[in-house]
Amino acid sequence: MSAQPVHHGDGGPPPLPRTQNAVAAALPPADRVEFYREMGEADETELLGVLRRWWLRARLYADPLPDDVRTDIEAGTAPGRPAGAALRQAAAGRETSAGE
């Protein structure tokens, strides 16, 4: 019996479930320890944010970006706007529209 190749449609890495065990398994050992530490210290309002942040990091490990791009993202100097700024602008736009 021979192994069949696995194709993931867009050529990217396979999907990574957003579960604690899947994220931990996708991380290098040193990061895994930090992930478990942060998950253990998070309260119920922080758990989803911690999981989401580490899930994104695990996705980067699975489909690495060029070093210069990754460095810019981690330093917060990559082109584009932070998601928080875009969300604040959208919320402000909705408030303005609702007041008209």
Side-chain angles (χ1 to χ4, degrees), residues 7-35:
H7 299 284
H8 301 290
D10 65 354
L16 178 64
R18 290 185 193 191
T19 64
Q20 186 173 353
N21 287 341
V23 171
L27 294 169
D31 284 344
R32 192 174 305 136
V33 170
E34 182 65 15
F35 167 70

Side-chain angles (χ1 to χ4, degrees), residues 10-61:
D10 65 354
L16 178 64
R18 290 185 193 191
T19 64
Q20 186 173 353
N21 287 341
V23 171
L27 294 169
D31 284 344
R32 192 174 305 136
V33 170
E34 182 65 15
F35 167 70
Y36 279 129
R37 185 192 65 72
E38 286 188 29
M39 288 295 290
E41 292 176 355
D43 67 22
E44 65 186 36
T45 62
E46 299 168 326
L47 277 172
L48 186 57
V50 172
L51 180 62
R52 183 178 297 121
R53 186 166 35 84
W54 281 97
W55 178 82
L56 289 168
R57 185 174 291 180
R59 296 293 297 161
L60 279 176
Y61 286 127

Side-chain angles (χ1 to χ4, degrees), residues 62-75:
D63 189 16
L65 297 170
D67 286 340
D68 58 334
V69 174
R70 183 177 173 161
T71 301
D72 288 347
I73 290 171
E74 290 175 349

Side-chain angles (χ1 to χ4, degrees), residues 81-94:
R81 291 189 314 158
L87 291 171
R88 283 190 297 277
Q89 182 181 6
R94 283 192 303 271

